[in-house]
Amino acid sequence: MDLGTGIALLVAFLAVVVLIIRGQSPIIMLLILAVLWSAIAGIGIDDIQKKILQAGGVAYASAVIIIVFGAWFAQVLIQTGIAESVIRSAVELAGDRPLVTAMTITLVTALLFTSMYGVGAAIAIGIIALPIMLGQGIPPYIAAPAFTMGIGAGTFINLVQFGTFQKLFPGLKYEAPYLTYWIAAMCVYILAAWLLEFIYLRNGGARRLASVDVANAGEPVVRKRTPYYTYIVPIFPVLMIMILKWEIIPTFLVSIVLALVLTGRDRTFQGSINLFNKTFSDAFPDIATMAALWTICGMIIVAGQTPEVANALKPIFGPVLPHTTLQAAIFFGVLGGIGSIYRGPLVVIGTGAALLAIVMTNKDIPIPYLYSIWLAPTIVQGSMDPTNSWTLWTIGQTKVSHGQFLKTALPFGCMMVAINSLICYLMLGSIN
């Protein structure tokens, strides 16, 4: 009985994966999967609407709030001009050297996205960084991953990423030894991006362009350069949590006020109040899709943890999914890169929510280790998956085909996942 039900659940799962890969809305497909799994497992309509849709839909509501504050802080950095100033100052130091410029933009983007969050933040930085690279003759198929891999690298220690996933992986703390690994993993991804740029640009890979032909996404508003002391603001939230052990939301609030104060010389007090309000309102379009995904994935996780679904899926996934820290390192190191593209089965905020529910039900792997080992594949999805919002925008902006983008970037993403899986096991595999 359970085996037959499990096979039916697996078929439904694979069908949803295929439909998402073919371009169907992940939000709609995952909502259908949550209901379909519950129905196939024999859960009644009343329990589906109460325990799956209602309880699951609000289970991770606090994660959405953290996303709002992260996107708000990003808008403050953008609209005060701090983010633009950091990028332009760094590029000026790089000079007219395409390889150094690409490496600098990757590094600075990574540092900015340790605290910035949202597609609006990515676009705001992208409309500055991409024309700079293209203007120095860096081919679009290199400029695109140089930018998105920078976003991904910063996400390893991004406070919003940590705060939201903390709800899925109870017991996580933003401190050593796990934070030490996340920082090391961030450095590995930056090095992977630099290696990509070096390989393609070292032998005259950059070419001079008579004109830079990119899609028109709106010209950035060139603001007055902010003072150098404001450049600490983008990493200030990370420092507050690491050193002072503050909580995430108060940290973002203090950082927002600090950014407004440090850039307030040319604004009236009322102007700062107005900007405070405006940036909060402007943050919401950034997080609409992510908020919906978190809500729906809450339903899938709750459905996957019900006895009816979990017992039916265990005979199917039990022999395949890892049960030890070493098995997890091998599993994600080999499959993590490929399995997360086009919102594949290893994407936690996607169909991977079902696998997460099963692995956590088994209780074989310490939860902080599970998060850490799953983090690199999650980062690959967030920086290389063509269905991801800011990756899709970057590809469109540079007019690179999906195939060319993945051909250039994905081998380095897979290499990063493999290396970080080994590092994760060596650093954290023996911690209970």
Side-chain angles (χ1 to χ4, degrees), residues 139-158:
Y141 70 92
I142 300 170
F147 174 60
T148 62
M149 291 171 76
I151 295 175
T155 308
F156 270 105
I157 61 172
N158 184 278

Side-chain angles (χ1 to χ4, degrees), residues 2 5-6 9 37 41 43 301-318 354 357-362:
D2 280 348
T5 303
L9 294 173
W37 263 16
I43 299 174
I301 291 171
V302 169
Q305 290 176 338
T306 60
E308 296 89 342
V309 174
N311 292 336
L313 286 175
K314 277 184 179 180
I316 305 295
F317 286 106
I358 299 168
V359 174
M360 292 184 67
T361 300
N362 290 335

Side-chain angles (χ1 to χ4, degrees), residues 85-274:
S85 297
V86 171
I87 286 282
R88 294 194 182 278
S89 294
V91 170
E92 286 174 2
L93 291 175
D96 190 21
R97 294 171 290 176
L99 175 58
V100 178
T101 296
M103 296 172 71
T104 300
I105 285 178
T106 297
L107 176 61
V108 174
T109 301
L111 293 175
L112 287 172
F113 277 86
T114 58
S115 57
M116 295 180 73
Y117 194 82
V119 63
I123 292 174
I125 299 302
I127 59 178
I128 300 167
L130 291 174
I132 289 173
M133 288 191 283
L134 296 173
Q136 288 197 10
I138 298 173
Y141 70 92
I142 300 170
F147 174 60
T148 62
M149 291 171 76
I151 295 175
T155 308
F156 270 105
I157 61 172
N158 184 278
L159 294 179
V160 178
Q161 170 92 357
F162 167 79
T164 51
F165 277 77
Q166 191 179 30
K167 312 306 175 184
L168 291 180
F169 297 84
L172 279 181
K173 293 183 179 180
Y174 201 81
E175 59 187 31
Y178 297 99
L179 178 59
T180 306
Y181 162 68
W182 303 338
I183 293 173
M186 170 184 172
C187 293
V188 169
Y189 203 17
I190 291 172
L191 290 174
W194 284 358
L195 180 61
L196 180 154
E197 293 152 14
F198 176 77
I199 288 174
Y200 283 101
L201 295 177
R202 73 181 189 278
N203 294 323
R207 64 179 186 274
R208 291 297 167 196
L209 303 178
S211 62
V212 179
D213 183 19
V214 293
N216 181 20
E219 291 297 323
V221 177
V222 179
R223 299 176 178 85
K224 181 180 178 181
R225 192 74 58 92
T226 62
Y228 287 117
Y229 54 75
T230 64
Y231 293 7
I232 189 64
V233 176
I235 63 170
F236 187 75
V238 174
L239 296 176
M240 283 192 68
I241 290 182
M242 289 176 60
I243 298 172
L244 301 180
K245 309 298 182 184
W246 276 43
E247 296 297 325
I248 293 175
I249 290 177
T251 294
F252 275 131
L253 282 172
V254 170
S255 300
I256 287 167
V257 172
L258 178 66
L260 293 173
V261 170
L262 293 182
T263 60
R265 292 186 303 178
D266 297 326
R267 291 192 305 270
T268 64
F269 178 76
Q270 185 60 47
S272 293
I273 295 297
N274 294 340

Side-chain angles (χ1 to χ4, degrees), residues 269-291:
F269 178 76
Q270 185 60 47
S272 293
I273 295 297
N274 294 340
L275 186 58
F276 183 88
N277 292 329
K278 181 179 184 299
T279 51
F280 181 71
S281 300
D282 290 345
F284 281 89
D286 281 4
I287 57 95
T289 300
M290 187 60 66

Side-chain angles (χ1 to χ4, degrees), residues 345-376:
L346 294 185
V347 179
V348 176
I349 306 303
T351 51
L355 298 184
L356 174 63
I358 299 168
V359 174
M360 292 184 67
T361 300
N362 290 335
K363 299 180 180 180
D364 295 323
I365 302 172
I367 290 178
Y369 178 86
L370 182 63
Y371 168 77
S372 297
I373 201 72
W374 210 320
L375 186 54

